[in-house]
């Protein structure tokens, strides 16, 4: 009897070992994904975890809630070995390269990837979601700016709806800069905020027309139609929810802040499958390495990110549920495996 | 004289910081440049406007209310009134301001800028005014009221000629506390788009340009110190001579 038992156990063990031989190797790899402290980053942390699990990696932990610098510190110290960040943030803030108007998303990405390789990081794929400041208008204003008291003239170059920065600038210039706008304090004061936009597009919002408030307040005031124009973050779900029209930054005054992933070189050397898994996941978002910049592609990618963020911010899903339902709709990642 | 030394030293220190940053720091600091004098002036005026309007209304409501609930026939109202005002005070000033904006929006009023902040400051500033007016009036020696009544004074005359003159320094002390608190609380008005000296404080913090935060902070603190001293002056000026003698 004893022998039969041992035989059965041995058979069972063989069976289990055989079926998991592929995964046994993946299980040895410890992956610690680090993420920042806002909705989009919470979701990105879960997207990475799910993509890795789908590829057979089971030792994946996610540490989120970090500040931007804390995330970079964690990657440099080795506490984290995989993260998603924004190209402009790494390029300008972490690597100290000069961000200036007109830089193309792919230039920033390639340059940053090259420099960061020397820092011990492998840069993975990017999207074109460009999450940074943007000027936005309420639906009413974008469609019929002429209906507003502060607008006496709608210049000919403005093609309705108002949806580009040159058009918005032309409206301001034709109306003494007096169209009321509400913007966040940081955007108001940073030299690479409103001041930069005003320089690049050659317009000025008069002091009397400009109200500075917190980010939340300025979104709320815009949503309540108390102001026709305001500042938003480009992938904020509130844009879709309230039907705001964002002004396309046609001259690329703001450097690209595209979502991308990077990993420590050791992790990729140990498990090349990590790169494939993450790149597959990022390919679910429009835009990528080598792609030429266009307003359409950027809008398309931003819309995908906005809708994904809205699942958490508007529909109250958890970041993991949002990430899962997003990946279920994307063929590049097979969650069922 | 001694109480003026602290005032002069503190004010000198604050103004010194302000003059140093505004007139002598010329290089760009972080993401922002230090504010120019005229910007500080404009923001200070905005700040004073918020506080003065809020305090004027808070005094117009708070002092009569405090006096009223100290009268024997309305004494029963004092616990709920003081309790209500106490709630307004114990909620953090930031929360009072934050709550005002959705309330204004709900009432279809403009929820951005000046008025929601002023209303929040009124609520925030009421408590010390009501409490001091009530305490000042209640603590008048009953023998003095009795003496007035014995002289044939009406209740109105007793209030005007006996109780208020005795309570006036306590009432003004309440106004002084309330105003000084509100000079501080008004720095948060900028979050709702009301401007004021909170603007350099918070935008300096948002851009890690701490010298600009220091400018706003020093100006707001100097304003609070000056307001405190000014109302302190009014307080001693209004205090009846007889009481001053009695105190000293």
């Amino acid at each position: 009897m004893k022998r039969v038992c041992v035989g059965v156990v041995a058979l069972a063990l063989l069976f289990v070992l055989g079926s998991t031989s592929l995964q046994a190797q993946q299980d040895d790899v410890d992956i610690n994904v680090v993420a920042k402290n806002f909705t989009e980053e919470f979701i990105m942390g879960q997207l990475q975890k799910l993509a890795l699990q789908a590829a057979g990696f089971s030792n994946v932990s996610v540490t989120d809630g970090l500040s931007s610098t804390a995330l970079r510190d964690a990657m440099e110290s080795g506490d984290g070995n995989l993260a998603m960040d924004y190209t402009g943030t790494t390029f300008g803030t972490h690597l100290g390269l000069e961000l200036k108007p007109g830089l193309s998303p792919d230039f920033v990405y390639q340059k940053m990837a090259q420099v960061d390789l020397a820092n011990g990081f492998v840069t993975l794929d990017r999207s074109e979601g460009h999450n940074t400041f943007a000027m936005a208008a309420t639906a009413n204003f974008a469609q019929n700016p002429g209906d507003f008291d502060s607008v006496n003239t709608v210049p000919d170059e403005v093609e309705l709806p108002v949806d580009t920065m040159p058009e918005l600038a032309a409206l301001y210039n034709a109306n003494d800069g007096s169209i009321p706008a509400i913007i966040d304090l940081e955007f108001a004061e940073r030299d690479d905020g409103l001041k930069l936009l005003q320089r690049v597009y050659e317009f000025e919002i008069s002091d009397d027309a400009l109200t500075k408030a917190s980010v939340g307040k300025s979104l709320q005031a815009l949503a309540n139609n108390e102001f026709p124009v305001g500042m938003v973050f480009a992938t904020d779900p509130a844009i879709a929810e309230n039907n705001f029209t964002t002004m396309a930054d046609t001259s690329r005054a703001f450097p690209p802040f595209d979502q991308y992933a990077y990993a420590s070189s050791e992790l990729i050397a140990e498990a090349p499958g990590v790169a494939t898994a993450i790149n597959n996941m990022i390919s679910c978002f429009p835009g990528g390495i080598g792609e030429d910049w266009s307003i359409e592609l950027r809008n398309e990618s931003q819309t995908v990110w906005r809708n994904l963020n809205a699942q958490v911010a508007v529909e109250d899903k958890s970041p993991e549920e949002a990430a899962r339902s997003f990946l279920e709709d994307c063929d590049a990642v097979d969650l069922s495996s | 004289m001694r109480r003026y030394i602290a005032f002069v030293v503190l004010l000198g220190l604050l103004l010194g910081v302000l003059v140093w940053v505004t007139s002598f720091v010329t290089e760009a600091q972080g993401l922002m440049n230090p504010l120019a004098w005229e910007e500080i002036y404009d923001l200070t005026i905005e700040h004073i406007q918020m506080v003065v309007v809020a305090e004027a209304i808070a005094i117009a409501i708070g002092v009569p209310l405090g006096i009223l609930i100290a009268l024997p026939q309305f004494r029963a109202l004092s616990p709920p009134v003081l309790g209500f005002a106490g709630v307004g005070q114990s909620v953090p000033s930031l929360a009072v301001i934050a709550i005002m904006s959705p309330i204004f929006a709900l009432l279809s009023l403009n929820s951005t800028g000046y008025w929601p902040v002023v209303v929040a400051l009124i609520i925030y500033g009421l408590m010390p005014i009501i409490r001091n007016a009530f305490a000042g009036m209640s603590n008048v020696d009953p023998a003095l009221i009795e003496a007035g009544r014995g002289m044939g004074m009406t209740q109105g005359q007793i209030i005007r000629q006996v109780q208020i003159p005795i309570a006036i320094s306590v009432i003004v002390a309440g106004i002084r506390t309330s105003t000084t608190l509100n000079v501080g609380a008004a720095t948060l008005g900028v979050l709702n788009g009301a401007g004021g000296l909170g603007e350099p404080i918070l935008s300096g913090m948002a851009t890690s340009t701490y010298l600009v935060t220091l400018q706003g902070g020093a100006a707001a603190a100097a304003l609070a110190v000056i307001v405190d001293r000014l109302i302190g002056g009014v307080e001693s000026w209004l205090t009846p001579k007889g009481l001053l003698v009695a105190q000293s």
Side-chain angles (χ1 to χ4, degrees), chain A residues 234-257:
Chain A
T235 58
D236 192 319
I239 297 171
E241 203 188 348
N242 297 293
N243 225 347
F244 298 150
T245 305
T246 50
M247 301 296 135
D249 180 10
T250 50
S251 299
R252 294 196 295 235
F254 294 130
F257 282 87

Side-chain angles (χ1 to χ4, degrees), chain A:
Chain A
M1 191 60 203
K2 213 183 245 174
R3 241 179 237 173
V4 177
C5 274
V6 170
V8 168
V9 170
L11 264 177
L13 262 178
L14 265 179
F15 180 76
V16 170
L17 283 178
S19 69
T20 55
S21 63
L22 183 100
Q23 259 130 42
Q25 186 202 345
Q26 315 273 51
D27 282 344
D28 293 342
V29 186
D30 280 330
I31 306 175
N32 189 9
V33 178
V34 281
K36 299 189 203 177
N37 49 6
F38 49 92
T39 305
E40 191 164 282
E41 279 273 347
F42 293 149
I43 299 174
M44 294 198 293
Q46 298 303 322
L47 283 172
Q48 294 171 86
K49 187 182 84 181
L50 290 172
L52 290 168
Q53 285 173 346
F57 295 93
S58 52
N59 272 342
V60 185
S61 65
V62 179
T63 309
D64 55 22
L66 304 180
S67 72
S68 189
T69 30
L71 178 131
R72 182 71 183 185
D73 289 347
M75 288 297 285
E76 282 174 354
S77 70
D79 289 342
N81 49 14
L82 181 64
M84 282 186 80
D85 207 325
Y86 298 86
T87 53
T89 307
T90 304
F91 188 94
T93 311
H94 302 322
L95 301 178
L97 301 168
E98 194 198 348
L99 287 169
K100 48 184 184 228
L103 293 178
S104 84
D106 218 50
F107 170 82
V108 169
Y109 173 84
Q110 301 284 1
K111 178 81 188 165
M112 176 203 82
Q114 184 198 337
V115 176
D116 233 6
L117 191 60
N119 294 329
F121 296 119
V122 174
T123 301
L124 305 174
D125 206 349
R126 69 175 177 92
S127 90
E128 185 109 14
H130 189 57
N131 186 6
T132 187
F133 303 125
M135 294 302 284
T138 58
N140 281 347
F141 185 83
Q143 301 291 344
N144 310 302
D147 292 354
F148 285 72
D149 290 343
S150 53
V151 178
N152 295 318
T153 331
V154 179
D156 293 339
E157 65 255 51
V158 175
E159 235 178 83
L160 300 180
V162 187
D163 58 2
T164 65
M165 275 313 299
E167 290 174 326
L168 186 69
L171 270 170
Y172 269 102
N173 287 335
N175 295 286
D176 303 324
S178 64
I179 304 163
I182 183 159
I183 62 173
D184 153 56
L185 283 162
E186 182 180 350
F187 183 64
E189 301 301 342
R190 282 176 70 139
D191 203 46
D192 56 353
L194 179 67
K195 290 173 186 164
L196 174 75
L197 273 188
Q198 294 189 141
R199 274 200 306 277
V200 171
Y201 294 102
E202 296 176 333
F203 73 107
E204 202 176 333
I205 304 179
S206 74
D207 280 350
D208 293 339
L210 192 65
T211 299
K212 302 168 194 172
S214 63
V215 182
K217 177 68 224 182
S218 55
L219 268 181
Q220 184 208 22
L222 212 56
N224 291 345
N225 281 305
E226 289 171 9
F227 286 81
V229 176
M231 185 219 86
V232 295
F233 286 102
T235 58
D236 192 319
I239 297 171
E241 203 188 348
N242 297 293
N243 225 347
F244 298 150
T245 305
T246 50
M247 301 296 135
D249 180 10
T250 50
S251 299
R252 294 196 295 235
F254 294 130
F257 282 87
D258 296 319
Q259 300 82 348
Y260 82 101
Y262 69 115
S264 74
S265 304
E266 294 97 55
L267 176 65
I268 300 297
E270 194 184 348
V274 170
T276 323
I278 296 297
N279 285 342
N280 285 344
M281 180 272 289
I282 295 181
S283 73
C284 301
F285 297 92
I289 304 174
E291 282 199 60
D292 284 339
W293 179 82
S294 72
I295 293 176
E296 291 73 26
L297 180 63
R298 180 175 275 178
N299 280 341
E300 200 189 324
S301 195
Q302 284 176 338
T303 308
V304 173
W305 280 103
R306 240 174 250 160
N307 293 340
L308 178 53
N309 292 337
Q311 292 193 28
V312 173
V314 183
E315 296 165 34
D316 286 334
K317 285 188 191 170
S318 72
E320 186 177 1
E321 287 164 346
R324 187 178 294 279
S325 77
F326 175 78
L327 290 178
E328 274 164 1
D329 294 337
C330 175
D331 296 336
V333 178
D334 186 6
L335 287 184
S336 57
S337 62

